[in-house]
Amino acid sequence: MVEWLHGGIAPEGQPPLKKGKAMRTSALRVRVFFVALFVTASVSAAKSYYFDAVGGSDARTATEATSSSTPWKSLSKVNGVTLQAGDQLLLKAGSVWREKLRIKNSGDAGNPIRIAAYGSGAMPEIRGTVKVTGNLVAGIRVAKIPSGLLVKGVFRDTIPLRVARLPADSGWFFATRGSTDSSIVSAQLLGSNWTGASVHFRTTPWTLETHVVASTDASELKFADKPVYALDSSHFFVSNHPSALKVPGTWAYTASDSTLRWIDPSGSTLPTVEAAVLDTGIDLSKANYVTVSGIKVFGTTTLGIHGNGSAGIQVENCQVAHPGLVAIRLSGRQNQVVGNQVIGPTSAGIINHGAGNRTVRNRIKGVAVLSKLGPDGNGPGCCNGHGIAVSGDTSFVARNEIDSVGYNGITFTGRNSIVEENTIGNHCITTEDGGGIYTIAGSPTAVGATGSVIRRNIIRSTPGAMSGRSSPGQEYAGIALDNNSHDVRIDSNVVYGNARGIGCHIPRRVTAKGNVLFNNLSAQIDFYLNSSITDEDIRTNLFSDNVLVSFQGQVIFKTAADRFATAYERLQGNYQCDEMKTLVRCGKGGKTLWERQRVSTTDPALGQEVLKATTSTSWATSGNLTTDTLSNSLSKYTLQKVSGSVAASTSSTTSRFATTAGQWWKLSFTAAGSELNQPLGPVVQTAKGAIRLAALPVLRLDTLPARYDLLFQTSSGDSASMLQFTTGSGFPAYWFGDVSMRTIQKSLIDKTPVAQIFVNALPTSTTTTLSGGTWLSTSGVKIGSAELPGFGATVAFQIDKVTADSPTAPPVQKRGFQRLYRKQQEWVIERLSGKGSIFDLRGRMVTEILPDAAGNGTWRPSSPGQFFLVVDGTATGLAAPD
């Protein structure tokens, strides 16, 4: 290689230049070239084209349309212009268009084509609807739709009406498999020809399939396409058919005769509606480097804003409401969806597929809500209903707010992706067996989300989707790593009120640190496995330094197999707390840190003990029962060792007691398993006939003795009730003892406080004052306030009964400063008492921070990572943003 001109490299195939005249001539040509380039750039300067749906005119030329005083009227005028990099399409604020905006040209990486608003007022709006007026015939409005258009939604102005369905309003029919794998039989649909109707099936916990009836034969419905999952027996409902028009405010459209029908809402007349007939609002397919900013899209049949195979698309600060399927759907690379509001799509809020894409600060609400689904349900195939769905390496999904979605809050795959600081609530409300944040690999060799990080997200309570389910299980998780997910880090998330806190299906090399998992109904951590996984696989997963809080009937850690005890070898340094209403216990590293009874044994709301069994003579057993002594680091217990099942002896009158329907009880006992995760089921039943009198939770035992304190209500009564303990088959033994049964008044149950979680969904840290009794931290230290990190939470336990104590004063300045928070890329330290120092994880000092005149300090990290701020000898962790 040789030098070329000013120290450059010769282009391939070019000979090196010699010094002399040739050199001077080349330099002159370079200068001439630059002059020509400047002239060309001046001629092709970027243009702005203006559109006004009211004051515009399509008779104007393209040159006239570059002035805001002489705009075009129709968006279709852009088809006659070849857009260049840097050009703008400016839509008049307050204008409404009922046509698609399609962009066929591309901008440049640093100079995109821009679609935005001009003027003041409401967002310019692209509507996918037409106004339709219907005639009243026998109480039903009837209107003809122009040929070639399909109606997918109907609105009263901007308020969606419900598609007609049976069973009306809610509920499900039951079907069995028909004569083919694409048909069902249901006697509940006799009497009508359902051809053209939509049928929506709950075939699996994670999907709601929708198919259109191709033909009807008596009570058999046949479909044109084959369902994804078998229709052997399914719950379903039917919609979008005239025979389903039963309820005011509902509609149905039949494509065979292009007729829309609707019933006026109760108490009003509605002769004119808006019918969704346009498939897409803004179409950017095959265009690159286009920015859409501040535009509203409403009521399309399929997509709001669409870019297919595009690069450098940015959709920012837009609003997309009630699209037929997906609000914003992009595929390509380095696309950005930032700061948008999405309302009411029926399949997904945002889909952003491709490497290097960003999905940030969007607000999404009401995705695939069962009561608002249209004729297409939540989309074709299976597994739809996502708030956000992304795929592609190095994806970034951050600070989105997602509420009320049918399936997963965020679904992602792709190597080295980051999902952080999102808040998600009420996911899996239409289908389930998913997660607030969900990823999947598929096979053990699939890449999945390798190298990805899920951090500082808040995933709050969701009721799940039991409607239409055949099985009663609750399977939705806060964070779900499905089907062989591997090499993923789950860091400092808050998950509470789900079925599973973190659910892992055949996981490998998963690390979860610093998470708060609180009051998740089934388990805080759940490994559901199959025969392909081994103990060695389980040991590659590490769960450490988490706060895990279980309420009555919940467990800390659960597996779908009876054993895999070695899984617990990788549960290290976690705070594990059991909250049992009148008893609370917290431990760490297998040791009990503290245990407190919240109700005194002398409380007048407690009845006398009807059963106190401490010796082997009080119990009958189907196996061996001996007396043994177990111990842990704090206490010793004399427990009964049982091989088999054990019950209060039917021959001993002291072990039998009377129960009545509706009575509340407090059952206390100490137990330990021979293996970790061993199930133990206490049962209250009749002495004769073995009829269960109450529903009690199945517990998962530790190998160390622990106290259990269960509250339950008997559903019926018997004069000679008895208590029995059973365990899973194949377990050699368990220990129990110090059993006590006594009645308890419901008033005491209602007044007894429980553990609480205090959540901060903001990026800045804050402090919450605790009042009303004595509060303990997970380590058992008395606290008067809870310090909440940004996008984090603190758990506190209220030991005393709630009183009218006045709130305590906020804590005084701590750790040498009063408040610490992140502002964009900079950390702010308020009321800094003196010099502060920043250290990295290796203990090396990065910089020193001095307070300014107002007593505040700031620090802007030069690189991502974990750091410590040290003031007055106290260290506080900081995370530098990526």
Side-chain angles (χ1 to χ4, degrees):
M1 304 294 285
V2 296
E3 292 185 347
W4 179 256
L5 290 182
H6 305 290
I9 303 298
E12 186 176 355
Q14 295 289 337
L17 285 178
K18 297 180 180 180
K19 294 182 180 180
K21 182 178 179 181
M23 184 68 178
R24 291 194 297 274
T25 303
S26 297
L28 175 63
R29 288 174 179 172
V30 170
R31 288 195 293 273
V32 172
F33 168 75
F34 283 138
V35 171
L37 182 63
F38 175 78
V39 172
T40 304
S42 301
V43 171
S44 59
K47 298 181 177 65
S48 295
Y49 298 95
Y50 293 85
F51 297 82
D52 184 343
V54 177
S57 171
D58 290 342
R60 292 167 179 154
T61 66
T63 300
E64 289 175 313
T66 59
S67 171
S68 60
S69 60
T70 53
W72 275 327
K73 181 176 184 178
S74 302
L75 300 179
S76 60
K77 292 294 292 182
V78 75
N79 295 330
V81 178
T82 299
L83 298 174
Q84 306 291 333
D87 285 355
Q88 296 189 97
L89 304 180
L90 300 177
L91 281 57
K92 181 69 177 291
S95 286
V96 177
W97 288 268
R98 298 177 186 271
E99 56 177 314
K100 181 188 301 185
L101 175 58
R102 175 175 291 160
I103 306 300
K104 299 179 180 179
N105 306 121
S106 297
D108 291 335
N111 199 19
I113 295 170
R114 184 175 175 83
I115 304 168
Y118 76 96
S120 59
M123 279 186 181
E125 181 179 349
I126 296 175
R127 286 199 175 193
T129 61
V130 294
K131 290 188 175 182
V132 176
T133 300
N135 299 316
L136 193 61
V137 179
I140 296 178
R141 301 277 179 185
V142 180
K144 286 290 184 178
I145 303 298
S147 178
L149 299 179
L150 297 177
V151 176
K152 299 295 185 179
V154 176
F155 305 88
R156 183 177 188 172
D157 190 19
T158 59
I159 301 174
L161 302 181
R162 292 173 298 160
V163 66
R165 61 160 287 175
L166 285 179
D169 283 335
S170 62
W172 302 78
F173 294 134
F174 184 78
T176 56
R177 186 174 181 272
S179 58
T180 70
D181 56 8
S182 299
S183 66
I184 59 169
V185 174
S186 176
Q188 296 161 300
L189 296 182
L190 285 170
S192 294
N193 184 344
W194 294 98
T195 301
S198 298
V199 181
H200 313 267
F201 303 92
R202 280 302 301 267
T203 49
T204 71
W206 56 86
T207 194
L208 176 71
E209 289 195 52
T210 296
H211 295 272
V212 176
V213 179
S215 62
T216 304
D217 183 7
S219 61
E220 184 174 17
L221 308 182
K222 299 180 180 180
F223 310 109
D225 52 349
K226 182 180 178 180
V228 176
Y229 296 103
L231 299 177
D232 294 333
S233 59
S234 305
H235 288 85
F236 74 97
F237 66 90
V238 64
S239 75
N240 195 36
H241 191 277
S243 296
L245 277 168
K246 307 290 184 183
V247 177
T250 60
W251 62 273
Y253 171 75
T254 53
S256 59
D257 59 3
S258 301
T259 301
L260 175 65
R261 299 172 175 86
W262 69 93
I263 302 177
D264 290 345
S266 298
S268 62
T269 59
L270 190 61
T272 301
V273 296
E274 301 245 351
V277 296
L278 187 68
D279 63 346
T280 305
I282 300 177
D283 188 352
L284 308 174
S285 298
K286 307 303 180 183
N288 299 314
Y289 302 107
V290 178
T291 296
V292 183
S293 180
I295 307 298
K296 180 177 180 180
V297 179
F298 172 83
T300 53
T301 64
T302 307
L303 305 170
I305 300 173
H306 182 212
N308 183 26
S310 304
I313 300 296
Q314 180 158 334
V315 181
E316 60 181 21
N317 303 321
C318 294
Q319 183 184 104
V320 183
H322 304 294
L325 290 176
V326 182
I328 301 170
R329 179 175 180 176
L330 304 180
S331 65
R333 55 186 174 84
Q334 297 179 345
N335 296 321
Q336 300 192 56
V337 184
V338 181
N340 302 282
Q341 184 179 13
V342 171
I343 303 170
T346 59
S347 183
I350 296 171
I351 295 177
N352 196 4
H353 292 324
N357 289 349
R358 292 169 55 87
T359 310
V360 181
R361 296 195 315 276
N362 301 283
R363 300 179 65 186
I364 302 169
K365 186 167 185 177
V367 179
V369 177
L370 188 65
S371 62
K372 297 181 180 180
L373 296 180
D376 294 330
N378 61 11
C382 84
C383 320
N384 298 307
H386 311 272
I388 294 173
V390 302
S391 64
D393 296 346
T394 65
S395 294
F396 184 64
V397 184
R399 295 181 290 285
N400 300 283
E401 298 178 25
I402 304 171
D403 183 64
S404 301
V405 293
Y407 186 34
N408 298 325
I410 296 173
T411 302
F412 81 101
T413 56
R415 293 172 295 186
N416 304 319
S417 296
I418 295 176
V419 180
E420 71 174 11
E421 296 182 356
N422 302 280
T423 57
I424 303 167
N426 296 309
H427 63 280
C428 287
I429 61 174
T430 297
T431 62
E432 56 177 6
D433 195 8
I437 297 175
Y438 175 95
T439 188
I440 186 171
S443 69
T445 58
V447 172
T450 299
S452 296
V453 181
I454 303 170
R455 65 189 178 196
R456 298 192 300 275
N457 301 280
I458 296 174
I459 306 170
R460 53 187 171 82
S461 302
T462 180
M466 298 309 297
S467 178
R469 285 288 307 278
S470 299
S471 59
Q474 295 172 307
E475 302 173 57
Y476 51 91
I479 298 174
L481 274 58
D482 205 356
N483 281 19
N484 296 286
S485 292
H486 57 88
D487 299 286
V488 177
R489 192 172 92 230
I490 306 172
D491 182 14
S492 303
N493 301 277
V494 180
V495 182
Y496 62 103
N498 294 270
R500 301 172 172 126
I502 297 176
C504 299
H505 184 200
I506 324 176
R508 294 171 174 88
R509 298 179 299 280
V510 172
T511 300
K513 292 186 176 182
N515 302 282
V516 179
L517 308 177
F518 178 92
N519 191 24
N520 295 293
L521 306 178
S522 173
Q524 311 316 306
I525 302 171
D526 191 349
F527 278 22
Y528 34 116
L529 316 168
N530 62 19
S531 58
S532 69
I533 201 164
T534 66
D535 277 8
E536 186 62 34
D537 293 321
I538 288 290
R539 283 196 293 270
T540 64
N541 303 290
L542 173 63
F543 287 73
S544 68
D545 304 305
N546 304 287
V547 175
L548 312 172
V549 181
S550 289
F551 281 15
Q552 176 167 313
Q554 303 167 4
V555 296
I556 296 293
F557 184 92
K558 185 171 86 171
T559 68
D562 281 343
R563 285 180 172 74
F564 292 108
T566 52
Y568 288 82
E569 295 179 7
R570 301 291 282 171
L571 284 177
Q572 299 175 355
N574 302 289
Y575 284 100
Q576 302 184 29
C577 302
D578 295 312
E579 164 55 72
M580 298 187 183
K581 201 74 170 178
T582 65
L583 169 72
V584 61
R585 174 182 60 247
C586 282
K588 188 175 183 180
K591 298 180 180 180
T592 299
L593 294 176
W594 58 276
E595 182 176 292
R596 300 289 171 86
Q597 282 284 349
R598 288 193 168 137
V599 178
S600 168
T601 56
T602 60
D603 195 299
L606 278 174
Q608 294 294 317
E609 285 184 315
V610 299
L611 174 65
K612 185 171 179 61
T614 57
T615 64
S616 60
T617 56
S618 303
W619 299 91
T621 175
S622 62
N624 298 318
L625 187 147
T626 62
T627 299
D628 202 350
T629 300
L630 298 179
S631 64
N632 64 9
S633 60
L634 297 181
S635 305
K636 288 189 176 182
Y637 305 91
T638 300
L639 304 177
Q640 306 283 81
K641 185 177 181 181
V642 181
S643 299
S645 64
V646 65
S649 174
T650 56
S651 62
S652 172
T653 57
T654 60
S655 63
R656 297 166 68 179
F657 49 92
T659 57
T660 58
Q663 192 172 35
W664 281 93
W665 293 85
K666 178 174 180 282
L667 167 62
S668 302
F669 59 93
T670 303
S674 59
E675 296 183 17
L676 289 163
N677 206 35
Q678 180 172 351
L680 181 68
V683 178
V684 174
Q685 64 184 33
T686 59
K688 295 181 180 180
I691 299 173
R692 295 199 177 197
L693 302 175
L696 278 80
V698 175
L699 305 172
R700 293 282 176 166
L701 301 179
D702 199 335
T703 54
L704 296 176
R707 188 70 175 164
Y708 296 93
D709 189 2
L710 306 181
L711 301 179
F712 64 93
Q713 188 178 28
T714 47
S715 55
S716 57
D718 187 81
S719 59
S721 304
M722 69 180 211
L723 176 67
Q724 181 179 25
F725 291 93
T726 60
T727 189
S729 61
F731 289 92
Y734 63 95
W735 288 260
F736 81 104
D738 194 17
V739 181
S740 173
M741 278 273 298
R742 60 199 310 167
T743 59
I744 183 171
Q745 294 180 17
K746 188 176 184 298
S747 59
L748 182 58
I749 296 174
D750 294 337
K751 292 179 180 178
T752 303
V754 296
Q756 293 192 38
I757 184 171
F758 301 89
V759 181
N760 179 21
L762 299 174
T764 57
S765 59
T766 186
T767 301
T768 296
T769 301
L770 307 177
S771 61
T774 299
W775 293 83
L776 299 182
S777 69
T778 50
S779 60
V781 176
K782 290 185 179 181
I783 53 176
S785 62
E787 295 184 26
L788 309 179
F791 293 103
T794 295
V795 174
F797 301 86
Q798 194 174 25
I799 300 305
D800 300 335
K801 297 180 182 179
V802 175
T803 66
D805 293 349
S806 59
T808 58
V812 296
Q813 182 172 317
K814 292 184 175 183
R815 301 171 302 177
F817 57 88
Q818 187 176 62
R819 184 168 176 244
L820 173 68
Y821 63 92
R822 198 175 78 193
K823 185 177 182 181
Q824 295 179 342
Q825 301 299 310
E826 190 172 69
W827 281 97
V828 178
I829 307 102
E830 291 184 352
R831 303 291 297 275
L832 186 60
S833 64
K835 182 177 69 175
S837 302
I838 301 292
F839 293 86
D840 64 16
L841 289 178
R842 295 184 180 180
R844 298 175 297 189
M845 189 172 73
V846 178
T847 187
E848 290 185 341
I849 300 173
L850 294 175
D852 57 19
N856 302 326
T858 59
W859 175 57
R860 181 183 291 271
S862 59
S863 63
Q866 299 291 327
F867 299 87
F868 290 96
L869 166 67
V870 178
V871 184
D872 293 344
T874 302
T876 302
L878 302 177
D882 292 335

